[in-house]
Amino acid sequence: MTTRPGHAPAHTVPTTWERLDDRFAAVDGDSLVERIATGCRWAEGGVYLPASRSFVWSDIPNDRQLRWDELTGEVGVISHPAGYPNGSTLDGQGRLVTCEHGGRRVRRVEHDGSVSTVADRFEGLRFNSPNDVVVDRRGRVWFTDPGYGIATDYEGFAAEEEVGGRHVYRVDPDGSIHRVTDDFDQPNGLAFSRDESQLYVVDSERHHLRVFDVTDDGALEGGEVLATCTAGTFDGVRLDSAGRIWTAAGDGVHCLDPDGTLLGKLLLPEIAANLTFGGLKRNLLFVCASTSVYMIMLKVTGAPGPYASR
């Protein structure tokens, strides 16, 4: 249990691991999982900011972004209205890149605090509702574009689909936008392998995780199903430093071997939507789960992103 000066101990739940494979034996951590925030309608899109030692996430239906301070434990709203934000990440310069349902775009906060649009149209047509985003070491922005934010007014604004499907896109540093897949029902979470030679992408409607080979020019090849979710559906995806794949699911967090084997689970009392690693050693696992955000310190570390690896 973590106690910070001037603050009562955070609410906790016992850590419950479900170990399904001997290869999961190396994964362990605190005996208690902290609930560091609650009161959201649907917590999503978390990102850890090393420069401010804070965790930022979205509460999509309430149209706001919130921030947890690692040093004080305080939680506050940093933007409202916020464009119905969803997934976020950091690019190689440490800038916050966020998918926005309301504006149907991917936006970036520049170093001077101004907000720029990374992408909001493909071939003149508006995106559906960009959902999750990653940035590679070459500065290319990759994002998924399902239809959740335009289906109703709950997570954005009900609207007609313009692009003719739910796809995955790549934005190159020169601003050119490329559709890299066109055979998903609802593309959702995505993450790169450690060497960025492969891209993992969730199809939430089909309840599975696919893996693609990334060519030198940024095209995707393959796309076979790597794993199917055994509890609800997969959502957000992240990798640890050993290459294991961590995915949000209906009963918490699932951990997969790169070969697709389900190694084990971290069971949580709410449906998990997204997750990320943070902290000074990247050994804090943050999970956005329904109404709350949970955190546990692990004995494994998250894979470095383009900003952390610099």
Side-chain angles (χ1 to χ4, degrees):
M1 183 178 296
T2 301
T3 304
R4 299 176 183 83
H7 291 267
H11 175 78
T12 61
V13 296
T15 301
T16 304
W17 298 105
E18 184 176 323
R19 303 185 183 278
L20 305 172
D21 189 288
D22 290 342
R23 288 171 289 180
F24 199 55
V27 176
D28 205 347
D30 289 339
S31 61
L32 296 172
V33 178
E34 295 184 47
R35 189 178 71 184
I36 61 173
T38 193
C40 297
R41 277 197 162 88
W42 182 243
E44 256 281 15
V47 59
Y48 181 81
L49 308 182
S52 60
R53 293 192 61 179
S54 62
F55 177 73
V56 170
W57 75 98
S58 306
D59 180 6
I60 305 175
N62 284 324
D63 190 17
R64 59 181 184 167
Q65 277 187 309
L66 300 99
R67 175 182 179 271
W68 172 81
D69 189 301
E70 183 180 357
L71 299 181
T72 66
E74 294 181 352
V75 173
V77 176
I78 59 173
S79 59
H80 174 69
Y84 292 92
N86 197 330
S88 293
T89 192
L90 295 180
D91 68 7
Q93 299 183 41
R95 296 174 297 185
L96 181 65
V97 180
T98 299
C99 291
E100 186 182 297
H101 286 189
R104 298 168 72 170
R105 65 172 180 164
V106 179
R107 71 184 189 219
R108 181 176 60 226
V109 179
E110 306 297 342
H111 292 305
D112 63 1
S114 63
V115 177
S116 62
T117 296
V118 176
D120 63 355
R121 283 171 171 81
F122 179 69
E123 298 180 344
L125 302 174
R126 298 187 72 187
F127 294 119
N128 301 316
S129 51
N131 185 285
D132 206 359
V133 59
V134 291
V135 180
D136 66 21
R137 296 184 184 97
R138 300 185 187 186
R140 300 177 297 193
V141 178
W142 304 69
F143 66 95
T144 55
D145 185 41
Y148 299 123
I150 60 173
T152 69
D153 289 319
Y154 187 75
E155 292 189 2
F157 301 103
E160 295 296 321
E161 186 176 277
E162 296 184 19
V163 291
R166 295 91 181 249
H167 310 307
V168 181
Y169 297 89
R170 185 190 81 240
V171 185
D172 290 343
D174 63 4
S176 59
I177 303 171
H178 308 268
R179 185 174 60 207
V180 293
T181 70
D182 60 2
D183 61 346
F184 277 79
D185 284 350
Q186 291 282 19
N188 201 326
L190 73 173
F192 279 107
S193 62
R194 285 292 313 272
D195 61 4
E196 298 186 349
S197 66
Q198 293 182 309
L199 181 68
Y200 302 99
V201 187
V202 166
D203 192 325
S204 289
E205 191 72 15
R206 301 177 188 172
H207 307 276
H208 63 218
L209 175 70
R210 298 171 63 185
V211 57
F212 295 85
D213 294 321
V214 184
T215 67
D216 288 340
D217 61 359
L220 298 183
E221 296 179 345
E224 63 271 15
V225 174
L226 183 69
T228 300
C229 191
T230 60
T233 190
F234 293 137
D235 199 329
V237 185
R238 289 294 181 267
L239 269 70
D240 67 22
S241 58
R244 290 176 292 249
I245 305 159
W246 296 70
T247 68
D251 55 357
V253 177
H254 293 192
C255 184
L256 310 173
D257 188 80
D259 67 10
T261 303
L262 177 58
L263 303 178
K265 304 178 181 182
L266 172 63
L267 301 178
L268 294 173
E270 300 185 77
I271 297 171
N274 217 318
L275 69 156
T276 195
F277 292 92
L280 295 178
K281 299 179 180 178
R282 299 191 304 277
N283 62 345
L284 297 177
L285 178 65
F286 296 89
V287 184
C288 297
S290 302
T291 68
S292 307
V293 176
Y294 296 88
M295 182 189 72
I296 180 173
M297 182 176 286
L298 300 177
K299 295 181 180 179
V300 300
T301 59
Y307 177 62
S309 62
R310 294 173 73 89

